[in-house]
Amino acid sequence: KAGVTQTPRYLIKTRGQQVTLSCSPISGHRSVSWYQQTPGQGLQFLFEYFSETQRNKGNFPGRFSGRQFSNSRSEMNVSTLELGDSALYLCASSLVVGGAYEQYFGPGTRLTVT
Amino acid sequence: ILNVEQSPQSLHVQEGDSTNFTCSFPSSNFYALHWYRWETAKSPEALFVMTLNGDEKKKGRISATLNTKEGYSYLYIKGSQPEDSATYLCAFGSGGSNYKLTFGKGTLLTVNP
C-alpha cells in the first residue's frame, strides 16, 4: 500500500511570493492534516480537511489556506511569503483506529524563503 | 493553548541500556495520546495510540503507559540499540469529532554503540 506522498520535496521561494504544496493521502483515507515544523518548535497544527471540508484549524494567519479535492488529495497555499515561513511542512492522512485517529505522515516539503 | 511537555529534551545512552521518557499533557478534554518515532530524513512513524487510563502498549522492546488522571505517559525502551536513535514525539489528541493533535517538542535519543 503506497504511503502518503508530498510534492515537491524541496522548494525555494522569495519573500512576497506564494507557494502551493500538495499531499496525496493513503488510498482510502479521507482526512488530511497539515503541520509546520520550525527549528526548536514541535509540530504545529495548521488545519485538517475531511471530505473536502475544513474541519479544524490551528492558530495561523489567513495567509495559510488549504483545500481538499474529491479524491482526498489536498493542497496547502501560503501567500505573501515571509522569512519566518521557512519550515518543514508535513501532511498526514488519517485512519480511525479504535475511536482515535491514527495519522500517517508524508516525508514533508522543505520550504526555504529568502 | 494546550501544553504538551516532553522530558528530557535529549538523551544519550549506551547500547544495551534501558531508558524512558515522559510526556505531560492536560488532564481535561482528553481523547487519546499518540507516540511517534521520527528518524532523521524520514517520516514520523506511529508507535502507539492510547485512549484509556491505565493503557499499556508494547511493540518489541518499546512499551508505553498512560495515566490520564494525572496527565502523563511514559515511553520505555528496553536494551537500546543504535537503530533506536531518533526523536520520539508524543501528541495529545482532543476534540472528539473535531479531532486535533497537539505535539510536544520531542525527546532526541542517541544510542551509542
Side-chain angles (χ1 to χ4, degrees), chain A residues 6 9 21 33-47 60 64 76 78 83-91 105-113, chain B residues 6 9 36-44 86-90 103-108:
Chain A
Q6 291 186 246
R9 293 293 310 279
L21 312 181
S33 297
W34 288 89
Y35 297 88
Q36 180 198 64
Q37 193 201 32
T38 50
Q41 296 294 318
L43 290 171
Q44 303 288 313
F45 174 75
L46 281 154
F47 27 66
F60 278 81
F64 291 81
M76 190 193 101
V78 188
L83 294 178
D85 297 332
S86 295
L88 178 68
Y89 291 88
L90 289 167
C91 81
F105 283 86
T109 294
R110 173 76 61 184
L111 172 66
T112 302
V113 182
Chain B
Q6 289 190 249
Q9 273 189 307
Y36 286 86
R37 179 171 176 273
W38 195 0
E39 286 183 75
T40 304
K42 294 188 178 180
S43 309
T87 296
Y88 291 83
L89 298 171
C90 73
F103 281 83
K105 293 183 181 180
T107 293
L108 174 59

CSV table of all heavy atoms in Angstrom, one decimal, chain A residues 6 9 21 33-47 60 64 76 78 83-91 105-113, chain B residues 6 9 36-44 86-90 103-108:
chain,number,residue,atom,x,y,z
A,6,GLN,N,4.1,13.6,-0.8
A,6,GLN,CA,4.1,15.1,-0.8
A,6,GLN,C,5.0,15.6,-1.9
A,6,GLN,O,6.1,15.1,-2.1
A,6,GLN,CB,4.6,15.7,0.5
A,6,GLN,CG,3.6,15.4,1.7
A,6,GLN,CD,4.1,16.2,2.9
A,6,GLN,OE1,4.4,15.5,3.9
A,6,GLN,NE2,4.0,17.5,2.9
A,9,ARG,N,9.4,18.1,-2.8
A,9,ARG,CA,10.1,17.8,-1.5
A,9,ARG,C,10.9,19.0,-1.0
A,9,ARG,O,11.0,19.2,0.2
A,9,ARG,CB,11.1,16.6,-1.7
A,9,ARG,CG,10.4,15.3,-2.0
A,9,ARG,CD,9.6,14.8,-0.8
A,9,ARG,NE,10.4,14.8,0.4
A,9,ARG,CZ,11.3,13.8,0.8
A,9,ARG,NH1,11.4,12.8,0.0
A,9,ARG,NH2,11.9,13.9,1.9
A,21,LEU,N,1.7,23.7,-1.9
A,21,LEU,CA,2.2,22.3,-1.6
A,21,LEU,C,1.1,21.3,-1.8
A,21,LEU,O,-0.1,21.6,-1.5
A,21,LEU,CB,2.7,22.3,-0.2
A,21,LEU,CG,3.6,23.4,0.3
A,21,LEU,CD1,4.1,23.2,1.7
A,21,LEU,CD2,4.8,23.6,-0.7
A,33,SER,N,-4.4,16.2,7.4
A,33,SER,CA,-4.0,17.3,8.3
A,33,SER,C,-2.6,17.8,7.8
A,33,SER,O,-1.8,17.1,7.2
A,33,SER,CB,-3.8,16.7,9.7
A,33,SER,OG,-5.0,16.3,10.2
A,34,TRP,N,-2.4,19.1,8.1
A,34,TRP,CA,-1.1,19.7,7.7
A,34,TRP,C,-0.5,20.3,9.0
A,34,TRP,O,-1.2,20.8,9.9
A,34,TRP,CB,-1.4,20.9,6.8
A,34,TRP,CG,-1.8,20.5,5.4
A,34,TRP,CD1,-3.0,20.2,4.9
A,34,TRP,CD2,-0.9,20.3,4.3
A,34,TRP,NE1,-3.0,19.9,3.6
A,34,TRP,CE2,-1.7,19.9,3.2
A,34,TRP,CE3,0.5,20.4,4.1
A,34,TRP,CZ2,-1.1,19.6,1.9
A,34,TRP,CZ3,1.1,20.1,2.9
A,34,TRP,CH2,0.3,19.8,1.8
A,35,TYR,N,0.8,20.2,9.0
A,35,TYR,CA,1.6,20.6,10.2
A,35,TYR,C,2.8,21.4,9.7
A,35,TYR,O,3.4,21.1,8.6
A,35,TYR,CB,2.1,19.5,11.0
A,35,TYR,CG,1.0,18.7,11.7
A,35,TYR,CD1,0.5,17.6,11.0
A,35,TYR,CD2,0.6,19.0,12.9
A,35,TYR,CE1,-0.6,16.8,11.6
A,35,TYR,CE2,-0.4,18.2,13.5
A,35,TYR,CZ,-1.0,17.2,12.8
A,35,TYR,OH,-2.0,16.4,13.4
A,36,GLN,N,3.3,22.3,10.5
A,36,GLN,CA,4.5,23.1,10.2
A,36,GLN,C,5.5,22.8,11.3
A,36,GLN,O,5.2,22.8,12.5
A,36,GLN,CB,4.2,24.6,10.2
A,36,GLN,CG,5.4,25.5,9.9
A,36,GLN,CD,5.2,26.9,10.4
A,36,GLN,OE1,5.0,27.2,11.5
A,36,GLN,NE2,5.2,27.8,9.4
A,37,GLN,N,6.7,22.6,10.9
A,37,GLN,CA,7.8,22.4,11.9
A,37,GLN,C,8.9,23.4,11.6
A,37,GLN,O,9.5,23.4,10.6
A,37,GLN,CB,8.4,21.0,12.0
A,37,GLN,CG,9.2,20.9,13.3
A,37,GLN,CD,10.2,19.8,13.2
A,37,GLN,OE1,10.7,19.5,12.2
A,37,GLN,NE2,10.5,19.2,14.3
A,38,THR,N,9.2,24.3,12.6
A,38,THR,CA,10.3,25.2,12.5
A,38,THR,C,11.3,24.8,13.6
A,38,THR,O,11.0,24.1,14.6
A,38,THR,CB,9.8,26.7,12.7
A,38,THR,OG1,9.0,26.7,13.9
A,38,THR,CG2,9.0,27.1,11.6
A,39,PRO,N,12.6,25.2,13.4
A,39,PRO,CA,13.6,24.8,14.4
A,39,PRO,C,13.2,25.2,15.8
A,39,PRO,O,12.8,26.3,16.1
A,39,PRO,CB,14.8,25.6,13.9
A,39,PRO,CG,14.6,25.8,12.5
A,39,PRO,CD,13.1,26.0,12.3
A,40,GLY,N,13.4,24.2,16.7
A,40,GLY,CA,13.1,24.5,18.1
A,40,GLY,C,11.6,24.4,18.5
A,40,GLY,O,11.3,24.5,19.7
A,41,GLN,N,10.8,24.2,17.5
A,41,GLN,CA,9.3,24.0,17.8
A,41,GLN,C,8.9,22.6,17.5
A,41,GLN,O,9.4,21.9,16.7
A,41,GLN,CB,8.6,25.0,16.9
A,41,GLN,CG,8.8,26.5,17.1
A,41,GLN,CD,8.4,26.9,18.5
A,41,GLN,OE1,7.3,26.5,19.0
A,41,GLN,NE2,9.2,27.7,19.2
A,42,GLY,N,7.8,22.2,18.2
A,42,GLY,CA,7.2,21.0,17.8
A,42,GLY,C,6.4,21.1,16.6
A,42,GLY,O,6.3,22.2,16.0
A,43,LEU,N,5.8,20.1,16.2
A,43,LEU,CA,4.9,20.2,15.0
A,43,LEU,C,3.7,21.0,15.4
A,43,LEU,O,3.0,20.7,16.4
A,43,LEU,CB,4.4,18.8,14.6
A,43,LEU,CG,5.5,17.8,14.0
A,43,LEU,CD1,4.9,16.4,13.9
A,43,LEU,CD2,5.9,18.4,12.7
A,44,GLN,N,3.4,22.1,14.6
A,44,GLN,CA,2.3,23.0,14.8
A,44,GLN,C,1.2,22.7,13.9
A,44,GLN,O,1.4,22.6,12.6
A,44,GLN,CB,2.8,24.4,14.7
A,44,GLN,CG,3.9,24.8,15.5
A,44,GLN,CD,3.6,25.0,17.0
A,44,GLN,OE1,2.6,25.6,17.3
A,44,GLN,NE2,4.4,24.4,17.8
A,45,PHE,N,0.0,22.4,14.4
A,45,PHE,CA,-1.1,22.1,13.6
A,45,PHE,C,-1.6,23.3,12.7
A,45,PHE,O,-1.8,24.4,13.3
A,45,PHE,CB,-2.2,21.6,14.5
A,45,PHE,CG,-3.5,21.3,13.8
A,45,PHE,CD1,-3.7,20.2,13.0
A,45,PHE,CD2,-4.6,22.2,14.0
A,45,PHE,CE1,-4.9,19.9,12.4
A,45,PHE,CE2,-5.8,21.9,13.4
A,45,PHE,CZ,-6.0,20.8,12.6
A,46,LEU,N,-1.8,23.1,11.4
A,46,LEU,CA,-2.3,24.1,10.6
A,46,LEU,C,-3.8,24.0,10.3
A,46,LEU,O,-4.5,24.8,10.7
A,46,LEU,CB,-1.5,24.1,9.2
A,46,LEU,CG,-0.1,24.7,9.2
A,46,LEU,CD1,0.7,24.1,8.1
A,46,LEU,CD2,-0.2,26.2,9.0
A,47,PHE,N,-4.2,22.9,9.7
A,47,PHE,CA,-5.6,22.6,9.5
A,47,PHE,C,-5.8,21.1,9.1
A,47,PHE,O,-4.8,20.4,8.8
A,47,PHE,CB,-6.2,23.5,8.4
A,47,PHE,CG,-5.3,24.0,7.4
A,47,PHE,CD1,-4.7,23.2,6.5
A,47,PHE,CD2,-5.1,25.4,7.3
A,47,PHE,CE1,-3.8,23.7,5.5
A,47,PHE,CE2,-4.2,25.9,6.3
A,47,PHE,CZ,-3.6,25.0,5.4
A,60,PHE,N,-2.9,30.0,12.8
A,60,PHE,CA,-2.1,30.6,11.8
A,60,PHE,C,-2.8,31.7,11.1
A,60,PHE,O,-4.0,31.7,11.0
A,60,PHE,CB,-1.6,29.5,10.8
A,60,PHE,CG,-0.5,28.6,11.3
A,60,PHE,CD1,-0.7,27.6,12.2
A,60,PHE,CD2,0.8,28.9,10.9
A,60,PHE,CE1,0.3,26.8,12.6
A,60,PHE,CE2,1.9,28.1,11.3
A,60,PHE,CZ,1.6,27.1,12.2
A,64,PHE,N,-2.2,31.4,5.3
A,64,PHE,CA,-2.2,30.0,5.1
A,64,PHE,C,-3.6,29.4,4.8
A,64,PHE,O,-4.5,29.7,5.6
A,64,PHE,CB,-1.7,29.3,6.4
A,64,PHE,CG,-0.2,29.6,6.7
A,64,PHE,CD1,0.2,30.8,7.3
A,64,PHE,CD2,0.8,28.7,6.4
A,64,PHE,CE1,1.5,31.1,7.6
A,64,PHE,CE2,2.1,29.0,6.7
A,64,PHE,CZ,2.5,30.2,7.2
A,76,MET,N,-2.0,22.9,0.1
A,76,MET,CA,-1.8,24.0,1.1
A,76,MET,C,-1.2,25.1,0.4
A,76,MET,O,-0.3,25.0,-0.4
A,76,MET,CB,-0.9,23.5,2.2
A,76,MET,CG,-0.9,24.4,3.4
A,76,MET,SD,0.5,24.0,4.5
A,76,MET,CE,1.6,25.2,4.0
A,78,VAL,N,0.4,29.1,0.7
A,78,VAL,CA,0.8,30.2,1.6
A,78,VAL,C,1.1,31.4,0.7
A,78,VAL,O,1.8,31.4,-0.3
A,78,VAL,CB,2.1,29.9,2.3
A,78,VAL,CG1,2.4,31.0,3.4
A,78,VAL,CG2,2.1,28.5,3.0
A,83,LEU,N,10.0,35.4,5.7
A,83,LEU,CA,11.1,34.6,6.1
A,83,LEU,C,10.8,33.6,7.1
A,83,LEU,O,11.3,32.5,7.0
A,83,LEU,CB,12.3,35.5,6.6
A,83,LEU,CG,12.9,36.5,5.6
A,83,LEU,CD1,13.9,37.3,6.3
A,83,LEU,CD2,13.5,35.8,4.4
A,84,GLY,N,9.9,33.9,8.0
A,84,GLY,CA,9.5,33.0,9.1
A,84,GLY,C,8.7,31.8,8.6
A,84,GLY,O,8.4,30.9,9.4
A,85,ASP,N,8.3,31.8,7.4
A,85,ASP,CA,7.5,30.7,6.9
A,85,ASP,C,8.5,29.6,6.4
A,85,ASP,O,8.0,28.5,6.1
A,85,ASP,CB,6.7,31.1,5.7
A,85,ASP,CG,5.6,32.2,6.0
A,85,ASP,OD1,5.2,32.2,7.2
A,85,ASP,OD2,5.3,33.0,5.1
A,86,SER,N,9.8,29.8,6.5
A,86,SER,CA,10.7,28.7,6.2
A,86,SER,C,10.5,27.6,7.2
A,86,SER,O,10.7,27.9,8.4
A,86,SER,CB,12.2,29.3,6.2
A,86,SER,OG,12.4,30.2,5.2
A,87,ALA,N,10.3,26.4,6.7
A,87,ALA,CA,9.9,25.4,7.6
A,87,ALA,C,9.8,24.1,6.9
A,87,ALA,O,9.8,24.0,5.6
A,87,ALA,CB,8.6,25.7,8.4
A,88,LEU,N,9.6,23.0,7.6
A,88,LEU,CA,9.2,21.7,7.0
A,88,LEU,C,7.7,21.6,7.2
A,88,LEU,O,7.2,21.8,8.3
A,88,LEU,CB,9.9,20.6,7.8
A,88,LEU,CG,9.6,19.1,7.3
A,88,LEU,CD1,10.2,18.9,5.9
A,88,LEU,CD2,10.1,18.1,8.3
A,89,TYR,N,7.1,21.3,6.1
A,89,TYR,CA,5.6,21.2,6.1
A,89,TYR,C,5.3,19.7,5.9
A,89,TYR,O,5.6,19.1,4.9
A,89,TYR,CB,4.9,22.1,5.1
A,89,TYR,CG,5.1,23.5,5.4
A,89,TYR,CD1,6.2,24.3,5.0
A,89,TYR,CD2,4.1,24.2,6.2
A,89,TYR,CE1,6.3,25.6,5.3
A,89,TYR,CE2,4.2,25.5,6.5
A,89,TYR,CZ,5.4,26.2,6.1
A,89,TYR,OH,5.5,27.5,6.5
A,90,LEU,N,4.6,19.2,6.9
A,90,LEU,CA,4.2,17.8,6.8
A,90,LEU,C,2.7,17.6,6.7
A,90,LEU,O,1.9,18.4,7.3
A,90,LEU,CB,4.6,17.1,8.1
A,90,LEU,CG,6.1,16.8,8.4
A,90,LEU,CD1,6.3,16.4,9.8
A,90,LEU,CD2,6.6,15.7,7.5
A,91,CYS,N,2.3,16.7,5.9
A,91,CYS,CA,0.9,16.3,5.9
A,91,CYS,C,0.7,14.9,6.4
A,91,CYS,O,1.7,14.1,6.3
A,91,CYS,CB,0.2,16.5,4.5
A,91,CYS,SG,0.5,15.2,3.4
A,105,PHE,N,2.2,10.0,8.3
A,105,PHE,CA,2.8,11.2,7.8
A,105,PHE,C,3.5,10.9,6.5
A,105,PHE,O,4.0,9.8,6.2
A,105,PHE,CB,3.8,11.7,8.8
A,105,PHE,CG,3.2,12.4,10.0
A,105,PHE,CD1,2.8,11.7,11.1
A,105,PHE,CD2,3.1,13.8,9.9
A,105,PHE,CE1,2.2,12.4,12.1
A,105,PHE,CE2,2.5,14.5,11.0
A,105,PHE,CZ,2.0,13.8,12.1
A,106,GLY,N,3.5,12.0,5.7
A,106,GLY,CA,4.4,12.0,4.5
A,106,GLY,C,5.8,12.5,4.8
A,106,GLY,O,6.1,12.8,6.0
A,107,PRO,N,6.6,12.5,3.8
A,107,PRO,CA,8.0,12.9,4.0
A,107,PRO,C,8.3,14.4,4.2
A,107,PRO,O,9.3,14.8,4.7
A,107,PRO,CB,8.8,12.4,2.8
A,107,PRO,CG,7.7,12.4,1.7
A,107,PRO,CD,6.4,12.1,2.4
A,108,GLY,N,7.3,15.2,3.9
A,108,GLY,CA,7.4,16.6,4.1
A,108,GLY,C,7.9,17.4,2.9
A,108,GLY,O,8.5,16.8,2.0
A,109,THR,N,7.6,18.7,2.9
A,109,THR,CA,8.2,19.6,1.9
A,109,THR,C,9.0,20.6,2.7
A,109,THR,O,8.5,21.3,3.6
A,109,THR,CB,7.1,20.3,1.2
A,109,THR,OG1,6.3,19.4,0.4
A,109,THR,CG2,7.7,21.4,0.3
A,110,ARG,N,10.3,20.7,2.3
A,110,ARG,CA,11.1,21.7,3.0
A,110,ARG,C,11.0,23.0,2.2
A,110,ARG,O,11.5,23.1,1.1
A,110,ARG,CB,12.6,21.2,3.0
A,110,ARG,CG,13.6,22.2,3.5
A,110,ARG,CD,13.6,22.3,5.0
A,110,ARG,NE,13.9,21.1,5.7
A,110,ARG,CZ,13.8,21.0,7.1
A,110,ARG,NH1,13.5,22.1,7.8
A,110,ARG,NH2,14.1,19.9,7.7
A,111,LEU,N,10.5,24.0,2.8
A,111,LEU,CA,10.3,25.3,2.2
A,111,LEU,C,11.3,26.3,2.7
A,111,LEU,O,11.4,26.5,3.9
A,111,LEU,CB,8.9,25.9,2.4
A,111,LEU,CG,8.7,27.3,1.9
A,111,LEU,CD1,8.8,27.5,0.4
A,111,LEU,CD2,7.3,27.8,2.4
A,112,THR,N,12.1,26.9,1.8
A,112,THR,CA,13.0,28.0,2.2
A,112,THR,C,12.6,29.3,1.6
A,112,THR,O,12.4,29.3,0.4
A,112,THR,CB,14.5,27.6,1.8
A,112,THR,OG1,14.8,26.4,2.4
A,112,THR,CG2,15.4,28.7,2.3
A,113,VAL,N,12.4,30.3,2.4
A,113,VAL,CA,12.1,31.6,1.9
A,113,VAL,C,13.2,32.5,2.1
A,113,VAL,O,13.8,32.7,3.2
A,113,VAL,CB,10.8,32.2,2.7
A,113,VAL,CG1,10.4,33.5,2.1
A,113,VAL,CG2,9.7,31.2,2.6
B,6,GLN,N,7.6,17.4,26.9
B,6,GLN,CA,8.3,16.1,26.9
B,6,GLN,C,9.6,16.3,27.6
B,6,GLN,O,10.3,17.4,27.4
B,6,GLN,CB,8.5,15.7,25.5
B,6,GLN,CG,7.3,15.2,24.8
B,6,GLN,CD,7.5,14.5,23.5
B,6,GLN,OE1,7.2,15.0,22.4
B,6,GLN,NE2,8.2,13.4,23.5
B,9,GLN,N,14.8,16.7,27.0
B,9,GLN,CA,14.8,17.2,25.6
B,9,GLN,C,15.7,16.3,24.7
B,9,GLN,O,15.4,16.0,23.6
B,9,GLN,CB,15.4,18.6,25.5
B,9,GLN,CG,14.4,19.7,25.7
B,9,GLN,CD,15.1,21.0,25.4
B,9,GLN,OE1,16.1,21.4,26.0
B,9,GLN,NE2,14.5,21.8,24.5
B,36,TYR,N,5.1,8.8,18.5
B,36,TYR,CA,5.6,8.7,17.2
B,36,TYR,C,7.1,8.6,17.3
B,36,TYR,O,7.7,9.2,18.2
B,36,TYR,CB,5.3,9.9,16.3
B,36,TYR,CG,3.9,9.9,15.8
B,36,TYR,CD1,2.9,10.5,16.6
B,36,TYR,CD2,3.6,9.4,14.6
B,36,TYR,CE1,1.6,10.6,16.1
B,36,TYR,CE2,2.2,9.4,14.1
B,36,TYR,CZ,1.3,10.0,14.9
B,36,TYR,OH,0.0,10.0,14.5
B,37,ARG,N,7.8,7.9,16.4
B,37,ARG,CA,9.2,7.9,16.3
B,37,ARG,C,9.6,8.5,15.0
B,37,ARG,O,9.1,8.2,13.9
B,37,ARG,CB,9.6,6.4,16.3
B,37,ARG,CG,11.0,6.1,16.2
B,37,ARG,CD,11.2,4.6,16.4
B,37,ARG,NE,12.6,4.2,16.2
B,37,ARG,CZ,13.2,3.9,15.0
B,37,ARG,NH1,12.4,3.9,14.0
B,37,ARG,NH2,14.4,3.6,15.0
B,38,TRP,N,10.6,9.5,15.1
B,38,TRP,CA,10.9,10.2,13.9
B,38,TRP,C,12.4,10.2,13.7
B,38,TRP,O,13.2,10.8,14.4
B,38,TRP,CB,10.5,11.7,14.0
B,38,TRP,CG,10.4,12.5,12.8
B,38,TRP,CD1,10.8,12.0,11.5
B,38,TRP,CD2,10.1,13.8,12.6
B,38,TRP,NE1,10.6,13.1,10.6
B,38,TRP,CE2,10.2,14.2,11.3
B,38,TRP,CE3,9.6,14.8,13.5
B,38,TRP,CZ2,9.9,15.4,10.8
B,38,TRP,CZ3,9.3,16.1,13.0
B,38,TRP,CH2,9.4,16.4,11.7
B,39,GLU,N,12.8,9.4,12.7
B,39,GLU,CA,14.2,9.3,12.3
B,39,GLU,C,14.6,10.4,11.4
B,39,GLU,O,13.7,10.8,10.5
B,39,GLU,CB,14.6,8.0,11.7
B,39,GLU,CG,14.6,6.8,12.6
B,39,GLU,CD,14.9,5.5,11.9
B,39,GLU,OE1,16.1,5.4,11.5
B,39,GLU,OE2,14.0,4.8,11.6
B,40,THR,N,15.8,10.9,11.4
B,40,THR,CA,16.2,12.0,10.5
B,40,THR,C,16.0,11.6,9.1
B,40,THR,O,16.3,10.4,8.7
B,40,THR,CB,17.7,12.2,10.7
B,40,THR,OG1,17.9,12.5,12.1
B,40,THR,CG2,18.2,13.4,9.9
B,41,ALA,N,15.5,12.5,8.3
B,41,ALA,CA,15.2,12.4,6.8
B,41,ALA,C,14.1,11.3,6.5
B,41,ALA,O,14.0,10.9,5.4
B,41,ALA,CB,16.5,12.0,6.1
B,42,LYS,N,13.4,11.0,7.5
B,42,LYS,CA,12.2,10.0,7.3
B,42,LYS,C,11.0,10.7,7.8
B,42,LYS,O,11.0,11.7,8.4
B,42,LYS,CB,12.5,8.7,8.0
B,42,LYS,CG,13.6,7.9,7.4
B,42,LYS,CD,13.7,6.5,8.0
B,42,LYS,CE,14.8,5.7,7.4
B,42,LYS,NZ,14.9,4.4,8.0
B,43,SER,N,9.8,10.0,7.5
B,43,SER,CA,8.5,10.5,8.1
B,43,SER,C,8.3,10.0,9.5
B,43,SER,O,8.8,8.9,9.8
B,43,SER,CB,7.4,9.9,7.2
B,43,SER,OG,7.6,10.1,5.8
B,44,PRO,N,7.6,10.8,10.3
B,44,PRO,CA,7.3,10.3,11.6
B,44,PRO,C,6.5,9.0,11.5
B,44,PRO,O,5.6,8.9,10.6
B,44,PRO,CB,6.4,11.4,12.2
B,44,PRO,CG,6.8,12.6,11.5
B,44,PRO,CD,7.2,12.2,10.1
B,86,ALA,N,16.6,8.3,17.4
B,86,ALA,CA,15.5,9.0,16.7
B,86,ALA,C,14.9,10.1,17.7
B,86,ALA,O,15.3,10.1,18.9
B,86,ALA,CB,14.4,8.1,16.3
B,87,THR,N,14.1,10.9,17.2
B,87,THR,CA,13.3,11.8,18.1
B,87,THR,C,11.9,11.1,18.3
B,87,THR,O,11.3,10.7,17.4
B,87,THR,CB,13.1,13.2,17.4
B,87,THR,OG1,14.3,13.8,17.2
B,87,THR,CG2,12.1,14.0,18.3
B,88,TYR,N,11.6,11.1,19.6
B,88,TYR,CA,10.3,10.4,20.0
B,88,TYR,C,9.3,11.5,20.4
B,88,TYR,O,9.6,12.4,21.2
B,88,TYR,CB,10.5,9.5,21.1
B,88,TYR,CG,11.3,8.3,20.7
B,88,TYR,CD1,12.7,8.3,20.6
B,88,TYR,CD2,10.7,7.1,20.3
B,88,TYR,CE1,13.4,7.2,20.1
B,88,TYR,CE2,11.4,6.0,19.8
B,88,TYR,CZ,12.7,6.1,19.7
B,88,TYR,OH,13.5,5.0,19.2
B,89,LEU,N,8.2,11.6,19.6
B,89,LEU,CA,7.2,12.6,19.8
B,89,LEU,C,6.0,12.0,20.5
B,89,LEU,O,5.6,10.9,20.1
B,89,LEU,CB,6.8,13.2,18.5
B,89,LEU,CG,7.8,13.9,17.6
B,89,LEU,CD1,7.2,14.2,16.2
B,89,LEU,CD2,8.3,15.2,18.2
B,90,CYS,N,5.4,12.8,21.4
B,90,CYS,CA,4.1,12.4,21.8
B,90,CYS,C,3.1,13.5,21.4
B,90,CYS,O,3.5,14.7,21.1
B,90,CYS,CB,4.0,12.3,23.4
B,90,CYS,SG,4.1,13.8,24.3
B,103,PHE,N,1.3,18.4,19.5
B,103,PHE,CA,2.6,17.7,19.7
B,103,PHE,C,3.4,18.4,20.7
B,103,PHE,O,3.5,19.6,20.9
B,103,PHE,CB,3.3,17.6,18.4
B,103,PHE,CG,2.8,16.6,17.4
B,103,PHE,CD1,1.7,16.9,16.6
B,103,PHE,CD2,3.4,15.4,17.3
B,103,PHE,CE1,1.3,15.9,15.7
B,103,PHE,CE2,3.0,14.4,16.5
B,103,PHE,CZ,1.9,14.7,15.6
B,104,GLY,N,4.2,17.5,21.4
B,104,GLY,CA,5.3,18.0,22.2
B,104,GLY,C,6.5,18.2,21.3
B,104,GLY,O,6.5,17.9,20.1
B,105,LYS,N,7.6,18.8,21.9
B,105,LYS,CA,8.8,19.1,21.0
B,105,LYS,C,9.7,17.9,20.8
B,105,LYS,O,10.6,17.9,20.1
B,105,LYS,CB,9.6,20.3,21.6
B,105,LYS,CG,8.8,21.6,21.6
B,105,LYS,CD,9.6,22.7,22.1
B,105,LYS,CE,8.8,24.0,22.1
B,105,LYS,NZ,9.6,25.2,22.6
B,106,GLY,N,9.4,16.8,21.5
B,106,GLY,CA,10.1,15.6,21.3
B,106,GLY,C,11.3,15.4,22.2
B,106,GLY,O,11.8,16.3,22.9
B,107,THR,N,11.7,14.1,22.3
B,107,THR,CA,12.9,13.7,23.0
B,107,THR,C,13.8,13.1,22.0
B,107,THR,O,13.5,12.1,21.3
B,107,THR,CB,12.6,12.7,24.1
B,107,THR,OG1,11.9,13.3,25.2
B,107,THR,CG2,13.9,12.2,24.7
B,108,LEU,N,15.0,13.7,21.9
B,108,LEU,CA,16.0,13.2,20.9
B,108,LEU,C,16.9,12.1,21.6
B,108,LEU,O,17.6,12.4,22.6
B,108,LEU,CB,16.9,14.3,20.4
B,108,LEU,CG,18.1,13.9,19.5
B,108,LEU,CD1,17.6,13.2,18.3
B,108,LEU,CD2,18.9,15.1,19.1
